[in-house]
Amino acid sequence: QVQLVESGGGLVQAGGSLRLSCAASGRAFSSYLMGWFRQAPGKEREFVASIWWSSEGTSYTDSVKGRFTISRENAKNTVYLQMNSLKPEDTAVYYCAAKNILATRYDYWGQGTQVTVSS
């Protein structure tokens, strides 16, 4: 049973920082792409960042480049999203997801964690 469990969300003032964690379990993820997505009220879910489990390759949406950093800690099977210089428009539910290298879309999703940035 694959599980992705996010944590670290909360309320922060604009300009502040948060670090989200995604603890993965239930299988080996060495051939997986790990991603962070977010969904704001009334909007569609959007891609934020991704990282390959077995390499240093990362990708970010333009709006978070230079502010967010995705990383992983293989020994703990955990992926992180460090979010700095937060803006009110970053307010959303943030989801962790995993996609097998052979898959066309993300296979597994976490339950989400709320991030609220006040102005």
Side-chain angles (χ1 to χ4, degrees):
Q1 179 85 6
V2 173
Q3 277 196 315
L4 303 176
V5 180
E6 302 99 333
S7 61
L11 173 64
V12 64
Q13 287 189 331
S17 298
L18 282 175
R19 189 178 79 158
L20 305 183
S21 300
C22 172
S25 62
R27 68 170 305 126
F29 289 92
S30 58
S31 59
Y32 275 73
L33 179 68
M34 305 299 295
W36 283 98
F37 290 76
R38 65 186 180 187
Q39 187 167 20
K43 295 188 177 181
E44 293 191 353
R45 186 168 57 195
E46 66 169 347
F47 168 80
V48 176
S50 63
I51 186 169
W52 285 101
W53 204 271
S54 56
S55 78
E56 299 302 318
T58 59
S59 181
Y60 298 90
T61 191
D62 286 346
S63 63
V64 308
K65 285 180 180 176
R67 301 188 298 123
F68 291 10
T69 302
I70 189 170
S71 63
R72 69 185 190 284
E73 188 171 356
N74 290 5
K76 293 186 176 181
N77 255 20
T78 300
V79 177
Y80 303 100
L81 185 68
Q82 177 67 43
M83 305 185 295
N84 299 328
S85 302
L86 282 162
K87 304 175 181 180
E89 51 263 43
D90 294 319
T91 295
V93 177
Y94 283 71
Y95 298 91
C96 176
K99 185 178 84 71
N100 185 275
I101 191 172
L102 299 177
T104 57
R105 55 185 177 181
Y106 283 81
D107 305 278
Y108 305 105
W109 293 84
Q111 82 288 349
T113 185
Q114 177 70 47
V115 171
T116 303
V117 184
S118 63
S119 56

